[in-house]
Amino acid sequence: FAQITAEESEDEPLSGEEQVDARLGKRDAAGGNNEGAVAEETEGDGQRDGEEAEQPDQTPVLSNKPRKKKKKRKTKKTSAGETLEDNDLEDIDSLLEKVEDTNGLLQQTQSRIIADSRPLLYVEHRNLNPENELKRYFGARAVLGDQRPRQRQRQYVRSTWLTAPKNTWPRYSKTGIAMQLEDTRRGVQYFTFEHHREYQQVQFKFLDAVESMDPNNIVLLLQMNPYHVDSLLQLSDVCRMQEDQEMARDLIERALYSLECAFHPVFSLTSGTCRLDYRRPENRAFFLALFKHLMFLEKRGCPRTALEFCKLILSLDPENDPLCVLLMIDFLSLRAREYTFLTRMFQEWESHRNLSQLPNFAFSVPLAYFFLSQQEERSELELSQARERAARLIQLALIMFPSVLMPLLDHCSVQPDARVTSHSFFGLNAQISQPPALNQLTSLYVGRTHSLWKDPAVMAWLETNVHEVLGMVDARDPLVEESEHKRKMRYQSAPRNIYRHVILSEMKEATAALPLEVTSQPVMGFDPIPPLDSIVSYTRPERTNHPSNESTLSLFFRSLLPNFNLQGDIRHDGDEEAGAGQDLNQGVNRLMAAMRDMLANIQFQDPPRDDNPEGDGDWD
């Protein structure tokens, strides 16, 4: 689809070029400024400087007169000196500026038309690279630095879209992950990741390392298997908790690279028609790695790239949205100034997804319309329509979710006037009376997006609409009572994907509002709050723990060393009998090593009294 639109957009200037060529021939015959016309034509078509030299060679074919005049102009330049060249250059520069201005407007209108014709969740490859966004802000030289000569010596030859491999990473080899095409229905392709037998064995070792509660065991596992995805995700959380953000981000990028190398040849990141089922544990690592990478991009100051990754996550399962990225796609759109995308999403999805019932969409969409109404390059009709929609939607949002206003003003350090503070509609009762699930959504939105509301123009616009809402409340508008009824009936309990999103976002305002049944259970970074209807393709074998068969000495060491297991190395691949003697020898050797370590650390003290060698009288 992208190629079709690109071809159509390229065909249109060609027809104009033929017309300009015809006029160019007439102008040459009349003795016009040939170089200025050529420069204007090449810049209007977006061609390179190398193609400018080809145009003057084609014009003398029409007649011999232009060639003679062109030679005379060259002699005049050499005789008159540099002043004539400067004047010609100024004329060319002025022409180029005019052509760039008109060409820029044409490109804006064409890009807007192309963007509107694409699917809503269409992902562009160039927007997945954060360096492209940073180059627009700081320039290519500031971003790349001295990386260009290093890239020529890079040992990796595989090109990837999600992340670029680094020289500091271990050499990649097949990890045992593959992707299969399960089904194709109505133009939508359903894929799934699969773990081969060797990867399953590594996964079992990883689960043992997690249960040991020792990050060093995960580090040892990664030394042997540097591209094990779940180990990379879990260790990234450990590094982030230890304030090592650079290492945490690097581990997430390595996990994305490992998963992208296992893609199916037909799997497409940009089409928006490829699906992954989150209920399968093998697929969850891809969702989580994308989400964690998105969070790092947003903190790094790349909201446009983060928005593209958010669209990618949503396109993998738009119906279920397992990580509930709908709660943050509005924030990323506003930060990236993609207001048209946010309003288009609201218009297309409101009828079947009820986006207005989410506080983030209820408040962010009118804010996007307000920002659109401030853009002077739009027509007056578009500006007036944006102002009307912004006012209407923000009033509906304030009526539906009155508990958002006061925390939002508090985060923005804004003191409301006496009428607002004394009115009960926006008072403390609005926050106390709302259901817990709604409290989580409002806390998440205020904690995440309050910085977007600090603009004085935004605050003035919000103040005007707050007073309009208070007038409707005092007039006992039936919409106010209807909204109160909706709040009481809905938002009784939040689904698991919202809990999952709150935990992954780590917003302290929303985390504090989580219910006890969520906070009381352990949450693993590689699989937070797994679905209740998981589709398990392979199961972890039961660990062979036989306390009744263990000796007293083994039980004693287990009480001192919880990770000690005499039977820990018994095989599960059907060769138990063949390796029984070897396992027993290894178990005994580990037992003796543990005894030596323990005895080496024991420090004996002198007895308190020498006259009582038995020493039993004073002991309990």
Side-chain angles (χ1 to χ4, degrees), residues 168-220:
T168 57
W169 291 357
R171 181 176 295 274
Y172 178 80
S173 60
K174 290 186 178 181
T175 59
I177 303 179
M179 179 183 281
Q180 299 296 331
L181 176 61
E182 283 190 323
D183 193 8
T184 302
R185 298 192 300 269
R186 298 179 181 179
V188 179
Q189 298 171 321
Y190 295 86
F191 295 86
T192 182
F193 284 98
E194 290 185 350
H195 293 170
H196 295 166
R197 183 174 179 83
E198 59 272 14
Y199 193 89
Q200 294 179 13
Q201 300 299 324
V202 179
Q203 188 73 10
F204 298 152
K205 295 179 181 179
F206 164 74
L207 296 176
D208 294 339
V210 171
E211 290 180 356
S212 68
M213 304 298 291
D214 187 1
N216 294 323
N217 294 333
I218 303 178
V219 174
L220 294 175

Side-chain angles (χ1 to χ4, degrees), residues 146-382:
D146 55 348
Q147 294 180 7
R148 292 179 178 176
R150 293 181 182 178
Q151 288 181 356
R152 295 174 184 173
Q153 300 175 1
R154 192 176 65 184
Q155 57 183 348
Y156 302 95
V157 295
R158 187 186 182 99
S159 61
T160 53
W161 292 108
L162 296 179
T163 182
K166 301 178 181 179
N167 293 328
T168 57
W169 291 357
R171 181 176 295 274
Y172 178 80
S173 60
K174 290 186 178 181
T175 59
I177 303 179
M179 179 183 281
Q180 299 296 331
L181 176 61
E182 283 190 323
D183 193 8
T184 302
R185 298 192 300 269
R186 298 179 181 179
V188 179
Q189 298 171 321
Y190 295 86
F191 295 86
T192 182
F193 284 98
E194 290 185 350
H195 293 170
H196 295 166
R197 183 174 179 83
E198 59 272 14
Y199 193 89
Q200 294 179 13
Q201 300 299 324
V202 179
Q203 188 73 10
F204 298 152
K205 295 179 181 179
F206 164 74
L207 296 176
D208 294 339
V210 171
E211 290 180 356
S212 68
M213 304 298 291
D214 187 1
N216 294 323
N217 294 333
I218 303 178
V219 174
L220 294 175
L221 183 63
L222 275 177
Q223 290 178 355
M224 301 298 297
N225 307 275
Y227 287 94
H228 182 254
V229 179
D230 285 347
S231 298
L232 293 169
L233 296 178
Q234 190 72 22
L235 192 60
S236 174
D237 290 343
V238 175
C239 295
R240 188 167 42 80
M241 293 177 184
Q242 296 177 354
E243 302 298 331
D244 192 353
Q245 301 292 332
E246 188 67 26
M247 178 58 69
R249 187 178 67 188
D250 186 80
L251 293 173
I252 294 297
E253 292 179 358
R254 200 198 301 182
L256 282 176
Y257 179 74
S258 176
L259 290 169
E260 188 173 2
C261 290
F263 278 177
H264 192 275
V266 187
F267 184 81
S268 174
L269 294 171
T270 60
S271 65
T273 59
C274 297
R275 303 286 185 264
L276 286 174
D277 194 349
Y278 192 81
R279 294 177 299 172
R280 294 185 176 273
E282 298 88 344
N283 297 336
R284 295 172 196 167
F286 188 52
F287 283 89
L288 296 171
L290 289 174
F291 190 93
K292 293 176 185 291
H293 186 58
L294 177 155
M295 297 296 294
F296 282 117
L297 289 173
E298 193 272 326
K299 294 178 181 178
R300 192 181 175 186
C302 302
R304 184 64 185 87
T305 310
L307 174 62
E308 211 69 14
F309 274 91
C310 192
K311 291 161 58 178
L312 174 59
I313 297 174
L314 189 58
S315 68
L316 295 177
D317 194 354
E319 296 299 328
N320 300 315
D321 192 11
L323 300 185
C324 208
V325 293
L326 280 177
L327 296 179
M328 69 182 309
I329 196 171
D330 60 303
F331 167 68
L332 296 175
S333 301
L334 292 175
R335 277 209 59 194
R337 299 182 180 180
E338 294 290 330
Y339 310 127
T340 305
F341 167 78
L342 181 58
T343 55
R344 179 190 173 190
M345 185 176 191
F346 182 76
Q347 293 172 2
E348 294 184 8
W349 284 28
E350 169 63 17
S351 59
H352 66 283
R353 298 294 291 268
N354 293 326
L355 297 181
S356 60
Q357 301 306 305
L358 294 174
N360 58 312
F361 271 93
F363 281 87
S364 293
V365 172
L367 185 60
Y369 276 117
F370 173 77
F371 287 136
L372 288 175
S373 67
Q374 305 296 311
Q375 296 179 351
E376 298 179 354
E377 64 269 13
R378 295 182 177 270
S379 63
E380 186 60 33
L381 178 60
E382 292 178 340

Side-chain angles (χ1 to χ4, degrees), residues 33-62:
N33 189 356
N34 189 25
E35 291 185 2
V38 171
E40 181 179 358
E41 174 63 24
T42 52
E43 283 295 325
D45 290 335
Q47 295 178 353
R48 300 293 181 184
D49 295 336
E51 297 180 1
E52 285 187 21
E54 298 177 1
Q55 293 288 343
D57 295 336
Q58 296 174 2
T59 52
V61 180
L62 299 176

Side-chain angles (χ1 to χ4, degrees), residues 368-423:
Y369 276 117
F370 173 77
F371 287 136
L372 288 175
S373 67
Q374 305 296 311
Q375 296 179 351
E376 298 179 354
E377 64 269 13
R378 295 182 177 270
S379 63
E380 186 60 33
L381 178 60
E382 292 178 340
L383 295 179
S384 62
Q385 290 178 353
R387 283 192 293 267
E388 293 176 0
R389 292 175 181 174
R392 178 173 54 86
L393 291 176
I394 192 61
Q395 293 175 15
L396 292 176
L398 290 169
I399 293 175
M400 185 64 194
F401 306 105
S403 61
V404 174
L405 179 64
M406 299 306 290
L408 182 61
L409 296 179
D410 185 43
H411 277 74
C412 296
S413 301
V414 174
Q415 180 65 31
D417 54 17
R419 184 188 178 191
V420 178
T421 54
S422 60
H423 206 286

